[in-house]
Amino acid sequence: MDSSIKQPAWDSELKRAVQMRQESQLEASLQLLLKLASNFPDEGIVQYQCAWAHDALGKEISAVPYYVRALSSELTNEDRRGAYLGLGSTYRAIGEYGKSKALLEEAIARFPDAREFKVFYALTLYNLGHHEESTSLLLRQLVETTQDADISQYNRALLFYADHLNEVWTDEE
């Protein structure tokens, strides 16, 4: 790395806070991130890490404004993807199902190959009472990703049923 490139003033503290979170020093990490978030409100990565720290402590409602600020700021694609998932999942966890659905739809449009959004979207659909659509989506994700031979042998049937969950067949015509 070129030593002439100056790191942002918050960089070393952010790395320390992330390390603390990874070492299960969750409250200490959060306290450091709260200071950073206050001092650097326009830094998307700082806001995202602060949101994550709240979530790690089960403080989902408190995480929301940090996720929102992160997503309205500049982020790498990887961090934006994480922030979308964090906020979409958090909205679902706090019962804001409409917001969760809208945000996860936006994330799916932006990252169409990111399966994690489809799984959390299915959970939100379930909470909204869209059980058939939710189950169908989960079945497709299972079939398209499983390496379990005992499930894979039924892929064709599972994909068929994903589109016909409420149909009943009889021997009569």
Side-chain angles (χ1 to χ4, degrees):
M1 184 157 111
D2 185 351
S3 61
S4 66
I5 298 174
K6 185 167 172 50
Q7 294 299 316
W10 46 263
D11 189 64
S12 64
E13 291 294 290
L14 181 66
K15 287 177 182 172
R16 188 164 69 98
V18 169
Q19 182 68 35
M20 290 163 59
R21 184 184 69 235
Q22 292 169 342
E23 294 172 353
S24 298
Q25 299 173 39
L26 302 179
E27 191 59 48
S29 174
L30 176 61
Q31 292 310 310
L32 179 53
L33 285 162
L34 284 168
K35 288 178 190 172
L36 288 171
S38 176
N39 291 335
F40 302 98
D42 297 326
E43 293 297 336
I45 186 62
V46 171
Q47 300 302 313
Y48 169 47
Q49 290 297 332
C50 191
W52 189 343
H54 279 90
D55 266 350
L57 284 164
K59 298 178 179 185
E60 285 85 1
I61 293 172
S62 297
V64 170
Y66 295 99
Y67 279 128
V68 170
R69 279 195 295 277
L71 286 169
S72 68
S73 302
E74 189 174 318
L75 289 169
T76 65
N77 272 342
E78 179 182 350
D79 290 331
R80 183 164 303 282
R81 190 168 158 170
Y84 266 122
L85 187 64
L87 183 55
S89 174
T90 294
Y91 277 149
R92 190 197 71 77
I94 64 173
E96 295 282 352
Y97 304 130
K99 288 180 180 180
S100 176
K101 182 177 184 282
L103 188 78
L104 290 169
E105 286 171 346
E106 183 181 319
I108 290 167
R110 186 174 184 131
F111 301 99
D113 297 328
R115 292 185 185 277
E116 67 271 21
F117 294 124
K118 294 173 185 172
V119 173
F120 281 87
Y121 184 65
L123 292 172
T124 298
L125 290 174
Y126 174 84
N127 292 123
L128 288 167
H130 303 289
H131 303 131
E132 184 175 358
E133 188 179 354
S134 172
T135 302
S136 177
L137 187 54
L138 285 175
L139 280 172
R140 290 182 186 290
Q141 297 312 301
L142 174 67
V143 166
E144 294 172 8
T145 61
T146 190
Q147 296 178 4
D148 185 294
D150 294 326
I151 294 173
S152 294
Q153 68 182 330
Y154 298 105
N155 280 357
R156 191 169 162 195
L158 290 169
L159 286 174
F160 175 80
Y161 290 134
D163 292 328
H164 302 90
L165 286 167
N166 290 315
E167 290 186 36
V168 177
W169 290 268
T170 65
D171 289 339
E172 305 297 318
E173 290 196 33

